[in-house]
C-alpha cells in the first residue's frame, strides 16, 4: 500500500502545458505528503508497536511472588537483612527465577550498589531509601561492588549474589534461620 501511494504521488502528473497555464505546481504538495506524512508513518509505526511490546513485559511482579531484601551500605561492607530475619554480610542469597525487591539505604556516605550481570547501578544516599529489582535466571555466583568512591577501603567493598535453585534456597533459609549454637569452650 505504501509503495503504491509513493508510486502514485510521483508518477501521476499533469502535462507541463496544463501546469504553466493553471499556475499551480503539485510537486511540492506531493513531496510534503510523501516525505512529511507517509515516510514518518512507515518508520514510526513499527517503533510504536515495538514499544507497546516492551511495555507489556515491564509489568511489575505480583506482591505474592516478591522476595524482599534490605541492604545497608556501611563503611566498608554490605549489611544484608532478609524479610524473615536472616542477616548476612557481603552476600545476598536469592532463588533462581524469582524477582527480588532490594531496598537500599546507607548509614554514612553515598555508596552505589552494582551487580552488573543482574541490573544497573543504584545509589545509596544517607537518609533516603531507594528500591531496585534483581532476578537471577540461572544458578551461579554473581559479583558486585560499590561503584561510588566511599572512602579509603572502597576497593574492598564487594559482595556476591548467590543464586540457588528454589529447593536449595529453601534449605539455605532453613539452615540460616536457626538460632546459632553457643560455644562450649573459650
Amino acid at each position: 500500500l505504501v509503495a503504491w501511494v509513493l508510486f502514485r504521488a510521483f508518477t501521476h502528473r499533469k502535462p507541463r502545458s496544463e501546469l504553466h497555464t493553471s499556475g499551480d505546481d503539485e510537486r511540492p504538495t506531493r513531496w510534503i505528503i510523501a516525505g512529511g506524512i507517509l515516510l514518518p508513518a512507515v518508520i514510526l509505526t513499527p517503533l510504536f508497536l515495538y514499544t507497546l511490546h516492551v511495555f507489556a513485559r515491564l509489568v511489575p511482579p505480583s506482591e505474592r511472588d516478591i522476595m524482599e531484601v534490605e541492604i545497608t551500605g556501611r563503611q566498608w561492607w554490605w549489611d544484608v537483612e532478609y524479610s524473615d530475619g536472616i542477616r548476612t554480610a557481603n552476600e545476598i542469597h536469592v532463588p533462581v527465577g524469582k524477582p527480588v525487591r532490594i531496598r537500599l539505604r546507607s548509614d554514612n556516605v553515598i555508596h552505589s550498589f552494582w551487580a552488573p550481570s543482574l541490573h544497573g547501578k543504584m545509589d545509596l544516599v544517607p537518609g533516603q531509601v531507594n528500591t531496585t529489582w534483581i532476578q537471577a535466571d540461572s544458578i551461579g555466583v554473581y559479583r558486585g561492588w560499590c561503584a561510588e568512591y566511599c572512602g579509603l577501603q572502597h576497593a574492598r567493598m564487594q559482595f556476591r549474589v548467590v543464586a540457588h535453585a528454589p529447593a536449595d534456597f529453601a534449605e539455605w533459609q532453613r539452615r540460616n534461620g536457626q538460632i546459632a549454637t553457643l560455644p562450649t569452650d573459650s
Side-chain angles (χ1 to χ4, degrees):
L1 176 68
V2 173
W4 180 82
V5 170
L6 289 173
F7 175 77
R8 295 295 294 158
F10 290 106
T11 58
H12 182 71
R13 296 196 174 126
K14 291 181 181 180
R16 279 200 176 276
S17 61
E18 289 181 31
L19 287 176
H20 291 297
T21 57
S22 67
D24 73 309
D25 189 357
E26 291 184 14
R27 283 180 281 181
T29 305
R30 289 180 183 156
W31 276 105
I32 290 170
I33 291 172
I37 298 172
L38 295 177
L39 190 60
V42 167
I43 294 171
L44 294 178
T45 300
L47 289 175
F48 176 70
L49 295 174
Y50 178 71
T51 301
L52 291 178
H53 172 71
V54 170
F55 280 164
R57 292 180 17 214
L58 292 178
V59 175
S62 68
E63 287 295 320
R64 63 180 169 76
D65 295 334
I66 296 173
M67 177 182 150
E68 289 197 22
V69 176
E70 186 168 312
I71 298 176
T72 304
R74 305 194 187 275
Q75 284 186 316
W76 286 274
W77 60 286
W78 301 97
D79 183 3
V80 181
E81 186 171 355
Y82 298 83
S83 55
D84 58 3
I86 298 172
R87 288 181 82 175
T88 61
N90 300 327
E91 199 166 82
I92 305 160
H93 293 263
V94 298
V96 169
K98 185 170 186 171
V100 179
R101 180 184 349 206
I102 298 182
R103 298 188 190 283
L104 300 164
R105 62 183 75 224
S106 172
D107 71 346
N108 44 44
V109 299
I110 296 175
H111 298 285
S112 188
F113 181 84
W114 188 32
S117 296
L118 299 176
H119 74 92
K121 298 175 188 173
M122 178 64 73
D123 286 342
L124 289 73
V125 180
Q128 178 178 325
V129 177
N130 289 338
T131 303
T132 189
W133 295 87
I134 63 171
Q135 180 173 328
D137 293 324
S138 59
I139 296 172
V141 177
Y142 302 89
R143 290 179 40 110
W145 48 86
C146 179
E148 177 79 30
Y149 181 73
C150 56
L152 295 174
Q153 295 296 316
H154 163 73
R156 297 181 186 268
M157 196 166 173
Q158 300 176 15
F159 62 91
R160 300 180 328 154
V161 178
V162 182
H164 302 274
D168 295 339
F169 179 75
E171 176 60 23
W172 177 85
Q173 276 185 310
R174 188 192 62 71
R175 278 193 330 267
N176 286 284
Q178 297 173 349
I179 297 174
T181 56
L182 297 173
T184 57
D185 61 9
S186 59

